Amino acid sequence: MTKIKLIIYNDFDEEVGFLEKQMVKNLNTLDEMESEVEEFRKSMLPEITKILLEESQRSFKKNSYGRE
């Protein structure tokens, strides 16, 4: 079974997010693979944005107030 994993790192090479999707069907053609990757991208974009914004906010608070 095919699986897509996405690991998000900050500027300090620290992992700040992890997303994974198990493919429901076998991917036998390039078109099927491309379609699944595109669906993953569309479905995960809001979650990626959320992770990056949360990390940016943590970094801002840490730099501005000296704490998390």
Side-chain angles (χ1 to χ4, degrees):
M1 191 68 67
T2 305
K3 187 185 301 186
I4 298 175
K5 291 183 180 182
L6 177 68
I7 302 170
I8 302 169
Y9 295 93
N10 65 12
D11 293 339
F12 305 105
D13 207 30
E14 301 166 334
E15 185 177 320
V16 294
F18 178 84
L19 303 168
E20 183 176 322
K21 179 180 180 185
Q22 185 77 34
M23 299 298 124
V24 179
K25 58 183 177 182
N26 288 330
L27 305 176
N28 299 315
T29 68
L30 186 57
D31 286 338
E32 290 174 342
M33 290 177 212
E34 188 175 355
S35 177
E36 284 295 317
V37 169
E38 184 65 21
E39 286 302 313
F40 176 75
R41 186 187 68 79
K42 287 179 184 176
S43 66
M44 293 296 128
L45 188 57
E47 186 64 26
I48 294 167
T49 302
K50 177 184 169 210
I51 290 168
L52 293 174
L53 287 172
E54 287 173 346
E55 175 61 21
S56 179
Q57 185 177 31
R58 274 192 297 276
S59 177
F60 176 78
K61 285 181 181 179
K62 185 177 180 180
N63 291 335
S64 295
Y65 305 112
R67 64 180 194 284
E68 288 190 45

